[in-house]
């Protein structure tokens, strides 16, 4: 099995009600953070990961690593992610994680090398402009924020055989 290596977003397609949702803020773990304030989910969409999944590859899994936190000791921050293969028309089931009372970034891994997020992917669904990540964040009612510091994605795949011919050998 091969993988694409971890990739960061090339574009914030929509920042929604997130504050500071820019590639500069979420592509490095430097505490510069995008911020979702309030008790209802702020929604942003990210795209253009330039995965380079080879044609004919079988997709085995998708792993998303994040760093996020809250800014108030009594608050709980919730981060939810879902993936689209058709530029936001459809999304996978949502995966989420929470952190409570910690202003230190929590490292969170969603998915993995054998988790396709409930979708049977094709190599073409990872093209720029097709693959999209929906990022939702909120905080509990103690005036806190969900602070996203870093998000990266890796695609695990098995290389297909697209050479179109077979080698036959006589004994």
């Amino acid at each position: 099995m091969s993988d694409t290596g971890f990739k960061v977003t090339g574009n914030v397609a929509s920042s929604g009600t997130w504050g500071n949702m820019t590639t500069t803020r979420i592509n490095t773990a430097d505490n510069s953070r995008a911020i979702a304030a309030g008790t209802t989910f702020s929604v942003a969409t990210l795209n253009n990961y330039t995965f380079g999944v080879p044609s004919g590859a079988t997709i085995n899994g998708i792993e998303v690593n994040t760093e996020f936190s809250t800014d108030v000791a009594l608050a709980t921050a919730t981060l939810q992610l879902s993936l689209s293969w058709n530029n936001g028309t459809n999304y996978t089931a949502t995966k989420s994680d929470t952190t409570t009372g910690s202003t230190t970034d929590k490292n969170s891994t969603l998915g993995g090398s054998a988790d396709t997020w409930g979708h049977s992917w094709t190599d073409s669904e990872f093209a720029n402009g097709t693959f999209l990540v929906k990022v939702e964040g909120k905080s509990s009612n103690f005036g806190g924020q969900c602070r996203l510091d870093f998000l990266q994605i890796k695609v695990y795949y098995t290389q297909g055989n697209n050479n179109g011919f077979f080698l036959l050998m006589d004994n």
Side-chain angles (χ1 to χ4, degrees):
M1 184 170 21
S2 300
D3 66 62
T4 58
F6 281 107
K7 305 291 183 181
V8 293
T9 187
N11 183 51
V12 175
S14 169
S15 60
T17 56
W18 282 83
N20 300 322
M21 180 57 84
T22 66
T23 57
T24 302
R25 301 273 180 168
I26 62 169
N27 283 351
T28 56
D30 63 358
N31 295 328
S32 62
R33 301 181 180 106
I35 298 168
T39 58
T40 59
F41 279 108
S42 296
V43 179
T45 52
L46 314 174
N47 64 3
N48 293 356
Y49 285 86
T50 314
F51 289 112
V53 175
S55 178
T58 300
I59 308 306
N60 304 110
I62 303 168
E63 178 179 346
V64 181
N65 289 333
T66 65
E67 288 183 11
F68 73 105
S69 63
T70 183
D71 66 331
V72 175
L74 296 175
T76 297
T78 302
L79 184 67
Q80 294 186 161
L81 302 174
S82 53
L83 312 175
S84 175
W85 56 93
N86 52 12
N87 199 29
T89 301
N90 300 98
Y91 283 92
T92 63
T94 300
K95 293 186 183 287
S96 65
D97 200 358
T98 60
T99 185
T100 301
S102 176
T103 58
T104 303
D105 284 336
K106 177 181 183 177
N107 294 315
S108 180
T109 300
L110 302 171
S113 63
D115 184 346
T116 60
W117 295 58
H119 178 68
S120 295
W121 298 87
T122 65
D123 59 88
S124 63
E125 292 172 329
F126 292 95
N128 287 344
T130 301
F131 182 83
L132 209 120
V133 178
K134 183 182 348 178
V135 180
E136 301 174 88
K138 72 175 183 176
S139 183
S140 60
N141 60 359
F142 294 102
Q145 303 169 336
C146 177
R147 305 182 307 176
L148 177 62
D149 190 35
F150 189 55
L151 188 143
Q152 61 182 358
I153 302 175
K154 181 189 292 190
V155 178
Y156 294 88
Y157 62 91
T158 303
Q159 180 66 49
N161 182 1
N162 287 336
N163 58 13
F165 64 89
F166 296 95
L167 179 62
L168 298 175
M169 300 179 70
D170 288 331
N171 289 336

